[in-house]
Amino acid sequence: MRERLLSSGDARDLAGLFQVMADPTRLRIISLLAETELCVCDIAAALEMTPSAVSHQLRVLRMTQLVKFRKEGRMAYYSLDDDHVLKLYTQSLDHLGHMPGGTIGSVRKPGGPDR
Amino acid sequence: MRERLLSSGDARDLAGLFQVMADPTRLRIISLLAETELCVCDIAAALEMTPSAVSHQLRVLRMTQLVKFRKEGRMAYYSLDDDHVLKLYTQSLDHLGHMPGGTIGSVRKPGGPDR
DNA sequence: TTAATATATGAACGTTCGTTCAGCTATTCA
DNA sequence: TGAATAGCTGAACGAACGTTCATATATTAA
């Protein structure tokens, strides 16, 4: 147990990482890019969203170095930047799987830990 | 690579988990509880925050089953609920360590991946 | 019972966030 | 050149979030 109280700065940085992951659209994009490299229009089509909305989210993922991209003609192909992202993503999926009935963010069973 | 496009529901649930982790105060609380069980007032003192503010955040962590607590007299002792939380936390710390200069959420080096 | 302590809770304020909409740049094809 | 395509960006609106403040509950001590 080597952990100690996080400094305010480190806590802010770490919160920034989780904040980027804390959006359904961005998580679905990551789930797509976990399989293969994709262009914006394919992602937009898969998510049934406008290319604009997807592009905004890709910008966030790009700025925080969770995804990288390469340009080929007028297309931009996106992929995960490194496998830390993938690890964090798959680990969180495991966590969700261990939650009884998927209790996070949705309706919880009565008589739970609160109240 | 067994991952596929996340459903809207799963993405929402997963985003909920990350959202809970995406707050500096809650992360600092987790960093404290990674060491030992603590009461609200000790956490408040360690973070130099009001017990009220801490209690609000503990409620969020409690509702999402990231921490558990036991009551002893008028004190409430909190601890991490299971080690999935700790794993996710330590893994994210690793990720931050691998970022050049802690680029997430803070000032980034010029000429980076954006723009 | 009264006072003090430890924690929990509800309302509200200011801030942050994700989407939509409109407009922009860059590239390709005729 | 002009039109069409792929993607990017800024403004703005509504929703969600974290803190503060005041108050409420529960436990202990006098």
Side-chain angles (χ1 to χ4, degrees):
Chain A
M1 199 71 61
R2 72 184 198 291
E3 281 76 29
R4 276 276 163 193
L5 170 62
L6 272 182
S7 72
S8 295
D10 286 346
R12 189 164 27 79
D13 291 349
L14 203 53
L17 169 62
F18 282 115
Q19 192 116 327
V20 174
M21 305 282 288
D23 179 74
T25 299
R26 288 194 288 264
L27 284 173
R28 297 184 88 198
I29 291 175
I30 289 173
S31 77
L32 285 171
L33 297 184
E35 282 192 80
T36 181
E37 184 187 55
L38 286 171
C39 65
V40 179
C41 58
D42 284 342
I43 297 174
L47 303 186
E48 299 181 88
M49 294 179 64
T50 65
S52 173
V54 171
S55 184
H56 274 295
Q57 300 305 345
L58 283 171
R59 184 178 193 272
V60 175
L61 292 169
R62 215 191 317 138
M63 283 199 306
T64 51
Q65 305 183 343
L66 296 189
V67 307
K68 58 177 189 262
F69 75 112
R70 65 184 179 85
K71 274 218 154 168
E72 189 170 309
R74 49 186 155 182
M75 318 271 274
Y77 290 96
Y78 283 82
S79 54
L80 298 186
D81 195 323
D82 56 30
D83 51 270
H84 277 95
V85 192
L86 191 58
K87 270 198 211 167
L88 207 60
Y89 170 66
T90 53
Q91 173 127 13
S92 68
L93 276 183
D94 287 351
H95 184 101
L96 204 67
H98 283 273
M99 295 311 228
T103 41
I104 296 184
S106 55
V107 182
R108 289 171 32 254
K109 59 172 183 248
D114 189 43
R115 265 218 166 274
Chain B
M1 200 70 60
R2 72 184 198 293
E3 281 76 30
R4 276 275 163 196
L5 170 61
L6 272 181
S7 72
S8 295
D10 286 346
R12 190 162 28 78
D13 291 350
L14 204 53
L17 168 62
F18 282 117
Q19 191 115 329
V20 174
M21 304 283 287
D23 178 74
T25 297
R26 288 194 287 266
L27 285 173
R28 297 185 87 198
I29 291 175
I30 289 173
S31 76
L32 284 171
L33 298 183
E35 282 193 78
T36 180
E37 183 187 56
L38 286 173
C39 65
V40 179
C41 59
D42 284 343
I43 297 173
L47 303 186
E48 299 181 88
M49 294 179 63
T50 65
S52 173
V54 170
S55 183
H56 274 294
Q57 300 305 345
L58 284 171
R59 183 178 193 274
V60 176
L61 292 169
R62 215 192 316 140
M63 285 198 306
T64 50
Q65 306 183 343
L66 296 188
V67 306
K68 58 177 189 262
F69 76 111
R70 63 183 180 87
K71 274 216 153 171
E72 191 173 296
R74 50 187 154 181
M75 318 272 274
Y77 290 96
Y78 283 83
S79 55
L80 298 186
D81 194 323
D82 58 28
D83 53 88
H84 277 95
V85 192
L86 191 57
K87 269 198 212 166
L88 206 61
Y89 170 65
T90 54
Q91 173 127 11
S92 67
L93 276 183
D94 287 352
H95 184 100
L96 204 66
H98 283 273
M99 294 312 226
T103 40
I104 295 184
S106 55
V107 182
R108 288 167 36 252
K109 61 172 181 246
D114 188 45
R115 263 222 168 271

